[in-house]
Amino acid sequence: MVEEPELMYEPGLLTVIVPAFNEAKSLPLLLKEIVPFCQERNWNIIIINDGSKDKTREVLSPYLQMESLKVVIHKLNKGYGAAIKSGLMACHTRYAVTIDADGQHVPEDIDKLLLSMIKNDADMVVGSRKGTTARSSYRSMGKGIIRVLAKMLMTVPVYDINSGMKIYDTVLVKKYLHLAPDTMAFSDIITLVFINNRHLVLEEPIRIRERIAGNSTIGIQTAFQTIMEIINIVILFNPMKIFLPLSTLCIIITGIWGIPLVLQGRGISIGTLLGVILSILLFLLGLIAEQLSQIRKNQHSK
């Protein structure tokens, strides 16, 4: 067993953030487990009731007077990312860790992430589900596509960018919250933001249990939103990763189409000219986007 530094259980060190939307069935069991776990370690808890329409408010009401547990209420459902943002903005400890309200995360794994954070002086530690089996083949395929796309467009040193269990340097993550979406894509995008800003992002294996109760709200629309958000963040940080391949692909297709016509003595076709112009335009747009990206980065670094 790895020796744990004493400061892991110092007051004011860690807050556990739990976004909850219609989790009235799973929250009682989760709270029964996570509250004493955190009390033993002097950790705080922030639960965000994200406009739930079930009995989530009633489930949380007995905990409202607890000093170490804070409930943030959204009158309307704002989204998974928005709930985490509210939790992080209400957090005043050095570190913050996010876990899901469905009971799939094992509280003891928080110790592992926090230990890695402290020992390596990391900025983020991702709880990796690599090797675990997803309940839905569609979800597994969707997550695989997202990971492949992210690695194609960026240098991504971690496997499970969309894990819901992550520990953050609180001050640092607050700095980038405006770049992350309010949707389920928050987990992916905030990880990519940290990576692209050259912060130390590490990964530790975690365990995943069966959902306590209720149904997941993740679907095909979520995967599509995540893909679009990844493309947006790539354009923000490294636009030539998008525009240069498109420009190159355009000129290659134009060459395949136009060169045989030239060799046949039929001259340069209108389609070939349009292809060349489009390729040049894409390249120039990439250069402009690159300049805007540099300006944005300089603004964040001040």
Side-chain angles (χ1 to χ4, degrees), residues 109-141:
D109 284 336
I110 300 175
D111 286 331
K112 185 189 299 184
L113 299 189
L114 181 58
L115 183 62
S116 177
M117 193 82 168
I118 294 172
K119 286 198 168 185
N120 297 291
D121 192 23
D123 300 306
M124 174 192 289
V125 179
V126 178
S128 175
R129 298 163 296 180
K130 187 175 183 179
T132 60
T133 304
R135 293 182 64 186
S136 168
S137 58
Y138 291 105
R139 287 185 65 182
S140 179
M141 183 174 63

Side-chain angles (χ1 to χ4, degrees), residues 46 48 72 74 78 81-91 177:
I46 296 177
I48 305 90
V72 176
H74 289 175
K78 296 183 179 181
I84 292 181
K85 288 180 183 180
S86 294
L88 288 168
M89 290 306 297
C91 175
L177 287 182

Side-chain angles (χ1 to χ4, degrees), residues 38 185 227 278:
C38 290
I227 289 171
L278 179 59

Side-chain angles (χ1 to χ4, degrees), residues 3-51:
E3 185 179 351
E4 299 175 352
E6 291 184 4
L7 70 87
M8 281 184 63
Y9 303 141
E10 288 183 355
L13 182 69
L14 180 70
T15 297
V16 179
I17 296 174
V18 187
F21 174 62
N22 291 343
E23 294 286 359
K25 293 181 179 179
S26 60
L27 269 177
L29 296 175
L30 174 68
L31 290 168
K32 186 178 179 180
E33 181 179 29
I34 197 70
V35 169
F37 179 82
C38 290
Q39 286 177 332
E40 290 174 3
R41 290 159 171 76
N42 295 311
W43 294 345
N44 298 329
I45 304 172
I46 296 177
I47 299 177
I48 305 90
N49 179 9
D50 188 28

